[in-house]
Amino acid sequence: MDPLRLVRDYTIKGLIQRSTCDETHIHLDEHNSLPRKSSTNYKSKMGARGFLTVEAIWFFVRSYGANPGQAHAAYMKEALAAKTAAISLIDRKDLLEFLTGVADTSANIDLTVPAFTLPDDAVAVGAKRPRDEAGGEDAAAREAGMSSAAGAAKDPTPVERTLHTRNSILQCNKDFSSVLAFFGTATGKDAAGGGGGKGRT
């Protein structure tokens, strides 16, 4: 489905003024409805605005159809009163020429992205995500692992560690015979050598 093309077709045929809307959808007729907050692939020249929504484009072209000579400032006031995102003056001419059939296409239509993107809140509460369906038991296992990890984080087991203080270090074994043996000198020989030296002096 390409909502931008649908709105364009209904505009060219003079049927756009018959379309209606409710809180969530725009109804072009009894058979074609579009989520209001869904995004099209028409990118605004105002970088921060990103891709225009179906709601913004539909409200804009209906406002123009009702009053073709209307100033852009008056349209902006209507959009503000209706709590609808307004089309900028920079985008107005290009978008209007495309929607009314004056131009066959627009450089602002990004063909590298989907023509129709649902808003994030359109996923029903409790509905399975596609990756969960594809993962099957693996997804369930991942969820179980995450739950176990979360439980472990909430209830950590104390770990006993040896505490080293100045007093504990001073109370250590002071027998350095093994150290002296490492350098090839025995404790007994050191003692004897020390005594002999004293006798010779």
Side-chain angles (χ1 to χ4, degrees):
M1 179 187 295
D2 187 342
L4 194 59
R5 290 281 177 182
L6 271 176
V7 172
R8 181 178 188 266
D9 290 344
Y10 276 74
T11 302
I12 293 172
K13 293 175 183 178
L15 302 175
I16 197 68
Q17 296 303 124
R18 299 181 187 178
S19 58
T20 60
C21 70
D22 55 31
E23 292 182 359
T24 59
H25 285 75
I26 290 167
H27 306 285
L28 298 175
D29 57 25
E30 296 179 357
H31 307 289
N32 292 293
S33 297
L34 303 167
R36 294 181 63 147
K37 302 300 182 181
S38 58
S39 298
T40 67
N41 59 344
Y42 188 98
K43 187 166 183 143
S44 172
K45 290 180 182 177
M46 302 286 288
R49 299 196 177 191
F51 294 99
L52 300 182
T53 63
V54 170
E55 176 184 52
I57 293 172
W58 173 80
F59 188 88
F60 167 70
V61 77
R62 266 180 58 89
S63 178
Y64 171 80
N67 188 2
Q70 183 183 46
H72 192 71
Y75 151 74
M76 295 282 283
K77 288 181 181 178
E78 285 185 4
L80 182 62
K83 298 181 180 180
T84 301
I87 303 299
S88 69
L89 182 60
I90 296 175
D91 296 320
R92 176 187 171 93
K93 184 176 183 295
D94 180 83
L95 181 59
L96 195 57
E97 287 182 351
F98 174 73
L99 293 176
T100 55
V102 174
D104 292 331
T105 187
S106 168
N108 295 335
I109 298 175
D110 189 346
L111 300 177
T112 65
V113 300
F116 177 68
T117 306
L118 286 171
D120 294 337
D121 57 359
V123 179
V125 176
K128 290 184 178 180
R129 295 181 181 273
R131 61 182 179 184
D132 290 343
E133 293 177 355
E137 295 181 358
D138 292 340
R142 284 196 302 271
E143 290 180 1
M146 291 174 65
S147 299
S148 298
K154 292 178 181 178
D155 186 20
T157 302
V159 178
E160 293 185 1
R161 296 180 181 178
T162 303
L163 181 62
H164 294 286
T165 63
R166 185 181 65 173
N167 291 335
S168 65
I169 293 174
L170 292 175
Q171 293 174 2
C172 68
N173 185 5
K174 299 181 178 59
D175 183 7
F176 298 104
S177 60
S178 59
V179 177
L180 296 175
F182 176 78
F183 291 103
T185 305
T187 304
K189 291 181 179 180
D190 284 346
K198 291 180 181 179
R200 288 191 296 269
T201 56

